[in-house]
Amino acid sequence: MKATRSKTERRRSGPVRDPAGASRFLDAGAGHAAAGRFADAARAYAEAERADPGDFRAPFSLATIDLRLGRPADALPRLRRVVALRPELYEAQHNLGGAAQSLALWDEAASAYTRALALRADAIETRRNLAVVLAILGRIDEAAAHHRTLAADPALAGWALSRLALLQPSGVTDAELEQIRRTADSAETDADTRIGLRFARGEVLERRGDAAGAFAAFADGNRVKRASLVGAGIDVPGLVAEHARAAEMVAAYYSPERLQRRNGGGLSTSAPIFIVGMPRSGSTLIEQILSAHSQVSGLGETAALPRLLERGFAADKSETRALARRYLDATRARGWRGAGRFADKTLENYLHVGAIALMFPKAVILHSVRDPVDTCLSCYRQLFASGAETLYGLADIGAEYVTYRRLMAHWAEVLPGRVIDIDHEALVADPERRIRQLVTEACGLPWDDACLRFYEAAGPVRTASSVQVRQPIFTTSVARWRRYEAELGPLIAALGPYAPRLDA
């Protein structure tokens, strides 16, 4: 008769493994998953994991369900365990990269994708994802090399070449530029890729000093992009008018009387630093300077406040405080650790300056201000990843700029001194003095020499300025619009009071 082991003996030898039982649960889980019964599948896989903790299949299957159901935070620890058990498993390494990328864990994503690619060099999706992550991390040469490899695949050539042109426009060869032109003009290329290639061609030609060719490419890209939006049922002029009405409603709501009556209901924390303004106004540069400071976390464009305010602002002071707490909770979920300061670069918060002033009376609000025509031209040169439907026509961009500046003028009137303008041209003309003022005077932070070397410490950057902010400050983009002055009539007319004097 076989003796039963004591509890002490079982603890010493580790958990009892039941591979046969685990296999039965794995089979059951696979059946449930194939039928779309993911909750039942997860329960079966969990039983399999308990039956045999050393078997990688159960945590891998659970992680697969998590990813399929949009739960990368749950999948991540399971995939870490799987790759520890089976580092040679390509699918686990690739999925770990995907989960980490979804959670903005860029270094871990890059490492996992790199290991996956070493296991399967022909894995196109892995290489593509790795190229994107490396660009975000500022590893531009490595990212460019992967884009060039992907460009050899006809199915990905357009996407890869357009990305390459934005990452290293001066490094694009004559042969690559000609391939960009041919691919953009080919009816076999999908519409979105053709649009992206037009903008990419403009970037390369501008870097080569061909202003006429560059503007023609940008104009073509904007024309086709705007036509695609209209074709998709988007009323671009209607949106421009709607944005103007919304700004007027915000200004009317946040009257001096209401601001005074509601004052005193916010939180006393000085942790938030809000950066507001128009796209392409130099805001990423401001954020990266501040993020280099040892006491500041750069959170990028969180969009946390606009989401909280979708249903309107708080009705009373207690609700104002509750709203402020929910915002801080949202920033913690995006990487703020609850100590020190953080920078939120959600530019559309220019609409919410009144709410910010009431929610966080001690918060810093920085307004990124750049020359109006340079700002708008930079928008015209940019194919935005999403949204920005009103920024693909010169007159539309000018109208949006006027809407934004009028609302900023309202805030200056009803909240005098509350918003601090950071002049882009002044910053690039005298960086050392202006950076010191930004850090110590505007934000009230102790001086940190790292802020002068922000380009060395630049962390992940997902905006179109990801390459520029990893270089020392340069002045080549100042007054860029003068190269294209003859083509900018519709923009200058739309800018009205913000237009330059052309005879100056």
Side-chain angles (χ1 to χ4, degrees):
M1 184 175 179
K2 189 180 293 185
T4 303
R5 291 193 305 165
S6 69
K7 291 182 179 179
T8 302
E9 289 173 324
R10 287 197 297 268
R11 280 197 298 269
R12 285 173 180 168
S13 61
V16 177
R17 296 181 61 184
D18 179 11
S23 293
R24 288 194 299 273
F25 283 119
L26 285 165
D27 290 342
H32 289 309
R37 298 187 296 270
F38 297 117
D40 292 333
R43 281 190 288 271
Y45 290 139
E47 290 292 342
E49 190 172 26
R50 280 189 285 272
D52 191 355
D55 191 326
F56 76 92
R57 292 176 296 173
F60 181 71
S61 299
L62 285 166
T64 302
I65 291 176
D66 289 331
L67 292 176
R68 185 164 182 175
L69 297 180
R71 302 192 301 243
D74 293 333
L76 189 71
R78 288 174 169 143
L79 289 166
R80 287 170 175 165
R81 184 172 167 223
V82 172
V83 299
L85 291 168
R86 291 287 296 273
E88 77 283 5
L89 188 63
Y90 161 79
E91 290 83 359
Q93 298 284 7
H94 174 84
N95 288 352
L96 176 59
Q101 183 177 359
S102 298
L103 297 168
L105 300 172
W106 307 111
D107 287 312
E108 184 170 6
S111 297
Y113 284 140
T114 299
R115 293 192 298 269
L117 200 60
L119 294 167
R120 190 176 295 177
D122 61 348
I124 291 175
E125 184 182 358
T126 301
R127 190 180 297 276
R128 177 172 172 159
N129 292 348
L130 177 59
V132 170
V133 170
L134 290 172
I136 290 171
L137 286 169
R139 294 161 61 177
I140 304 302
D141 290 341
E142 295 173 71
H146 286 296
H147 281 99
R148 283 194 162 92
T149 300
L150 291 165
D153 184 335
L156 283 174
W159 176 86
L161 288 168
S162 62
R163 295 269 309 180
L164 177 65
L166 297 177
L167 287 172
Q168 289 185 328
S170 59
V172 172
T173 66
D174 290 343
E176 288 167 339
L177 181 59
E178 175 58 20
Q179 188 180 0
I180 287 173
R181 185 196 64 76
R182 288 198 316 270
T183 310
D185 292 341
S186 172
E188 296 180 1
T189 306
D190 70 89
D192 288 342
T193 301
R194 293 171 69 184
I195 292 169
L197 287 167
R198 284 164 164 80
F199 282 89
R201 187 164 181 260
E203 191 78 31
V204 176
L205 292 173
E206 183 179 83
R207 192 61 61 96
R208 293 183 173 202
D210 182 359
F215 192 85
F218 289 132
D220 194 26
N222 277 280
R223 176 186 58 79
V224 178
K225 176 63 177 180
R226 193 175 189 277
S228 73
L229 293 169
V230 173
I234 296 175
D235 178 8
V236 176
L239 274 179
V240 173
E242 181 182 325
H243 293 170
R245 287 192 298 271
E248 290 172 359
M249 291 173 63
V250 168
Y253 180 83
Y254 289 100
S255 64
E257 296 75 21
R258 178 173 272 115
L259 287 167
Q260 180 61 37
R261 187 168 63 251
R262 301 284 292 280
N263 192 30
L267 299 182
S268 61
T269 179
S270 61
I273 301 172
F274 294 93
I275 303 171
V276 305
M278 187 82 173
R280 313 299 295 152
S281 62
S283 59
T284 302
L285 175 60
I286 295 171
E287 185 198 21
Q288 290 303 308
I289 290 169
L290 294 175
S291 297
H293 196 287
S294 61
Q295 297 180 18
V296 180
S297 299
L299 303 185
E301 300 179 17
T302 71
L305 188 58
R307 291 194 184 111
L308 286 173
L309 295 175
E310 284 177 351
R311 297 182 181 179
F313 190 57
D316 56 34
K317 292 182 180 181
S318 64
E319 288 187 19
T320 299
R321 285 189 291 273
L323 193 65
R325 292 189 188 97
R326 288 200 295 274
Y327 170 77
L328 293 179
D329 289 341
T331 59
R332 288 186 183 92
R334 288 164 174 79
W336 180 51
R337 296 181 178 178
R341 312 279 293 279
F342 64 85
D344 182 341
K345 196 183 74 71
T346 305
L347 295 179
E348 68 177 285
N349 279 337
Y350 82 84
L351 290 163
H352 308 306
V353 168
I356 292 170
L358 293 173
M359 293 165 63
F360 300 105
K362 293 185 179 180
V364 171
I365 308 172
L366 304 176
H367 175 207
S368 178
V369 188
R370 184 183 179 189
D371 174 87
V373 188
D374 271 338
T375 300
C376 295
L377 174 62
S378 191
C379 290
Y380 192 68
R381 294 170 62 257
Q382 178 66 41
L383 176 60
F384 293 89
S386 61
E389 294 90 351
T390 58
L391 300 183
Y392 294 104
L394 290 172
D396 296 333
I397 297 170
E400 290 282 33
Y401 187 89
V402 170
T403 292
Y404 132 75
R405 285 299 294 266
R406 283 177 176 166
L407 187 54
M408 293 309 301
H410 170 76
W411 299 131
E413 180 181 348
V414 300
L415 294 166
R418 191 66 184 81
V419 177
I420 302 170
D421 287 351
I422 305 298
D423 186 289
H424 179 73
E425 284 75 21
L427 180 60
V428 301
D430 189 3
E432 182 166 353
R433 184 166 72 90
R434 296 290 181 166
I435 289 173
R436 286 182 181 273
Q437 288 178 344
L438 167 64
V439 172
T440 62
E441 297 177 23
C443 296
L445 289 159
W447 176 245
D448 187 334
D449 283 338
C451 294
L452 291 176
R453 303 186 305 277
F454 64 90
Y455 49 88
E456 296 176 357
V461 180
R462 301 183 70 176
T463 71
S465 305
S466 61
V467 176
Q468 292 94 318
V469 298
R470 291 186 168 90
Q471 305 168 12
I473 288 176
F474 53 89
T475 60
T476 53
S477 62
V478 174
R480 176 189 269 139
W481 69 269
R482 291 287 184 183
R483 306 175 205 173
Y484 306 111
E485 183 175 334
E487 308 288 348
L488 299 179
L491 169 60
I492 291 170
L495 283 173
Y498 302 102
R501 285 182 53 199
L502 297 184
D503 58 349

